[in-house]
């Protein structure tokens, strides 16, 4: 006897089977989505939305399974087997809807908990962001006070080791987005926010401040201070002490000291810092504004000669100006006054680094130890390690700086540059995804193009550079960059069409050394400190057999001693190997071999398969006569995601003996083939991006 019950109808219409299939597919797809979200740093709501979509879609799928059936004749509406079956339709749909609602209510707490845990995991403990205070009607003469007060407060709180303070650039960027407190908290990864305003009130100032809980947006504390124009220092100290008491009960507030306790010096420091920040925020240095900041810093030092921070900031501004001689006295004065300040040690590191002195790394490391909130010190310490051939721990230091400064494009750029040059392609591309989410502007496009170049995707680098050019059609740097990228893949005709009067970088990639020498010899007089320019000129001299000229150009920069003690950039290392080749060409074999052996004695150069260390290590081995090992290293260079500089591979003197060697020729052909493949796929890539040259 046929089963005419409701459950019989379910079995006959294969609804239970459809539910099982739907559940299996939903589970599998959700697992994939969650994995992709984690790997690409996508927002957590993407996976949450997928789960909700499958829950909402469940009754729809069950209704379709009840109503239709797949047969040999196609999809047909299922016939009802009985009146009882017809009567069961309403009941079945009500049951499905009720079950779906129950399922949603069942998983909703888990989804909310997952979202809460995800957000909590990204929030640093005891973390705080000091947002720029609002200008609530200050006179033009005093308009600097709102920004400067928040800057000083941020630095003062940053000296408390138990607190984690978001960096200035990200705090400013977050405020400019005009988001609510909860959004700002999530963007910066901080638990608390300090925001306020400064208003003119008669002859005095009214400072209003709030401490806001990021998770709720509620103000935990607020206060208004009415003070005279010379009493701003006391307001700053009162705010700092109250914030510390509320975040770290029982902590000795005396740990947090202002830059000076002299009211006059404090006002001068606020104004000087305001001018200096204006200069540092621009691409080109406004020399006049920077000189005004330096003048004010000098007056602050005169008002309070015992302020270590006033002396240190004066030295930092002088270093930014490029006046190393004038910076020496104030930085060592600051060091004698208080060597236990992170800012002082960081500026000392900058001084040593500018001088090419190995003590720079010690100073940067000490700055980080004294204040883990010092994002600049973290980044400089990482860079100092890296250029001296020490890769261990560099990425972690860059990531710490980025965690403190999560809305700073330059932090992403520094980390991406290291990861890309270190051959860590997947991590670099993950970083690109994050940059795309946060920085939809011309600077973001330029950085993405650079990181795509580092991963070997020069066709995509060209596409992103075209996007940047389209946003800034009048900016010639984009055109120059495009010319260099086209030259990188061997399309010299397009490169010259873009840049009919090529500069030294483009001439180098095109291997037009005679023209490069003519241009560079003039420029080196105008820019004597440009190490990359000197390297390119010396390389061109070496390839044209003007070895003594190459040695003189490089020796005048302090090579090789400067690299052996404290390299300051990649150009130092390129100059070092050009010096090896020039010495070899000049018949100074012992000098060349001594330098090559020094390189080989450092094991950190031997493990990386990126083209740069692999190719230069092969060069050193060739100079030492270890031909088999040199050719092995050249074969390892083929694993590099980046393309090597053609001139280095094809025109370095150390490789000339291998011109007829099959393994060397195969390495050259390998990279030539990769360039040809990039030229071939470029049109499709540009079409994918919807851009044209």
């Amino acid at each position: 006897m046929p089963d005419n019950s409701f459950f019989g109808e379910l079995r006959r219409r294969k609804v239970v089977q459809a539910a099982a299939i739907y559940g299996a597919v939903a589970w599998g797809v959700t697992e994939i989505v969650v994995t992709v979200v984690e790997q690409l740093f996508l927002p957590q709501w993407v996976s949450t939305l997928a789960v909700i979509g499958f829950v909402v879609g469940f009754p729809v799928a069950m209704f379709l399974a009840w109503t239709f059936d797949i047969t040999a004749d196609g999809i047909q509406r299922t016939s009802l087997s009985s009146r009882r079956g017809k009567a069961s339709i309403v009941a079945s749909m009500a049951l499905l809807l009720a079950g779906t609602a129950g399922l949603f209510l069942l998983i909703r707490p888990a989804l909310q908990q997952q979202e809460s845990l995800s957000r909590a995991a990204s929030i640093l403990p005891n973390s705080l962001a000091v947002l720029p205070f609002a200008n609530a009607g200050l006179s033009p003469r005093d308009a600097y006070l709102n920004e400067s007060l928040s800057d000083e407060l941020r630095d003062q709180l940053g000296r408390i080791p138990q607190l984690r303070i978001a960096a200035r650039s990200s705090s400013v960027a977050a405020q400019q987005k005009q988001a609510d407190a909860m959004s700002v908290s999530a963007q910066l990864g901080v638990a608390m926010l300090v925001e306020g305003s400064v208003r003119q009130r008669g002859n005095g100032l009214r400072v209003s401040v709030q401490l806001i809980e990021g998770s709720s947006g509620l103000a935990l504390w607020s206060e208004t201070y009415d003070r005279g124009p010379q009493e701003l220092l006391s307001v700053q100290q009162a705010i700092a002490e109250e914030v510390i008491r509320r975040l770290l009960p029982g902590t000795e507030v005396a740990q947090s000291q202002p830059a000076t306790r002299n009211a006059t010096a404090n006002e001068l420091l606020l104004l000087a810092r305001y001018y200096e920040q204006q200069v540092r925020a621009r691409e080109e240095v406004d020399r006049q504004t920077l000189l005004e900041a330096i003048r004010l810093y000098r007056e602050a030092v005169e008002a309070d000669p015992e302020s270590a921070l006033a002396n240190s900031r004066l030295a930092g501004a002088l270093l930014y100006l490029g006046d190393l001689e004038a910076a020496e006295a104030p930085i060592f004065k600051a060091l004698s006054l208080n060597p236990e300040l992170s800012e002082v040690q960081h500026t000392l590191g900058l001084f040593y680094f500018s001088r090419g002195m190995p003590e720079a790394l010690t100073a940067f490391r000490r700055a980080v130890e004294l204040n883990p909130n010092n994002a600049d010190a973290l980044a400089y310490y990482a860079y100092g390690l890296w250029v001296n051939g020490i890769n261990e721990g560099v990425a972690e230091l860059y990531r710490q700086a980025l965690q403190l400064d999560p809305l700073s494009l330059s932090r992403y750029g520094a980390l991406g540059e290291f990861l890309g040059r270190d051959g860590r392609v997947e991590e670099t591309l993950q970083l690109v995804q994050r940059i795309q989410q946060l920085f939809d502007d011309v600077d973001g496009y330029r950085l993405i193009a650079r990181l795509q170049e580092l991963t070997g995707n020069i066709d995509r680098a060209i596409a992103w550079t075209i996007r940047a050019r389209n946003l800034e059609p009048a900016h010639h740097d984009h055109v120059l960059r495009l010319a260099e990228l086209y030259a990188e893949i061997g399309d010299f005709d397009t490169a010259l069409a873009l840049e009919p009067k090529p500069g030294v970088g483009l001439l180098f990639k095109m291997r037009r050394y005679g023209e490069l020498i003519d241009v560079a010899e003039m420029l080196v007089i105008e820019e004597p400190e440009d190490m990359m320019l000197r390297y390119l000129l010396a390389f061109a001299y070496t390839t044209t057999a003007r070895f003594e000229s190459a040695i003189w150009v490089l020796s005048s920069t302090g090579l090789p001693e400067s690299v052996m003690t404290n390299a300051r950039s990649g150009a130092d290392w390129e100059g070092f190997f050009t010096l090896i080749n020039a010495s070899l060409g000049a018949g100074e074999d012992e000098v060349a071999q001594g330098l090559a052996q020094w390189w080989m004695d450092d094991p950190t150069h031997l493990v990386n398969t990126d083209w740069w260390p692999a190719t230069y290590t092969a060069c050193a081995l060739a100079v030492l006569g270890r031909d088999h090992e040199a050719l092995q290293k050249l074969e390892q260079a083929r694993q590099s995601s980046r393309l090597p500089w053609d001139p280095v591979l094809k025109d370095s003197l150390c490789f000339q003996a291998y011109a007829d060697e099959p393994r060397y020729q195969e390495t050259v052909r390998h990279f030539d083939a990769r360039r040809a493949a990039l030229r071939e796929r470029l049109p499709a890539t540009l079409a994918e991006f919807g851009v044209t040259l």
Side-chain angles (χ1 to χ4, degrees), residues 133-241:
F133 283 19
N135 181 343
L138 289 170
S139 68
R141 183 176 61 86
D142 297 323
Y144 66 93
L145 289 174
N146 55 306
E147 288 187 25
S148 301
L149 176 58
S150 56
D151 286 344
E152 287 296 323
L153 185 60
R154 185 182 302 110
D155 284 355
Q156 192 172 346
L157 292 170
R159 298 182 198 115
I160 302 298
Q162 301 96 318
L163 292 178
R164 301 291 284 174
I165 308 297
R168 179 187 191 276
S169 55
S170 287
S171 299
V172 172
Q175 191 218 38
Q176 289 174 343
K177 293 183 178 182
Q178 297 182 337
D180 59 72
M182 290 185 288
S183 298
V184 171
S185 170
Q187 290 171 3
L188 299 181
V190 295
M192 300 289 177
L193 302 172
V194 172
E195 65 177 24
S197 64
V198 183
R199 180 187 300 275
Q200 199 83 34
R201 184 175 175 83
N203 293 326
L205 298 171
R206 166 166 287 187
V207 180
S208 300
V209 63
Q210 294 184 90
L211 178 65
I212 299 173
E213 184 180 53
S215 60
S216 65
L218 299 176
L220 302 181
W221 165 73
S222 64
E223 188 63 77
T224 298
Y225 301 88
D226 289 312
R227 295 290 190 273
Q230 293 293 311
E231 297 179 288
L232 199 59
L233 181 59
S234 65
V235 174
Q236 176 186 322
Q237 185 66 19
I239 295 171
E241 292 178 356

Side-chain angles (χ1 to χ4, degrees), residues 5-16 66 92:
S5 68
F6 167 64
F7 294 103
E9 287 289 335
L10 287 178
R11 286 193 296 273
R12 189 175 71 81
R13 295 164 184 264
K14 301 179 180 179
V15 174
V16 176
W66 178 281
S92 64

Side-chain angles (χ1 to χ4, degrees), residues 655-665:
F655 296 139
Q656 285 189 358
Y658 303 148
D660 298 323
E661 166 60 49
R663 286 190 288 175
Y664 170 74
Q665 293 175 342

Side-chain angles (χ1 to χ4, degrees), residues 156-157 159-160 237 240 244 252-258 261:
Q156 192 172 346
L157 292 170
R159 298 182 198 115
I160 302 298
Q237 185 66 19
I244 294 168
E252 177 57 52
V253 296
Q255 293 183 69
S256 175
Q257 298 296 327
R261 293 204 176 269

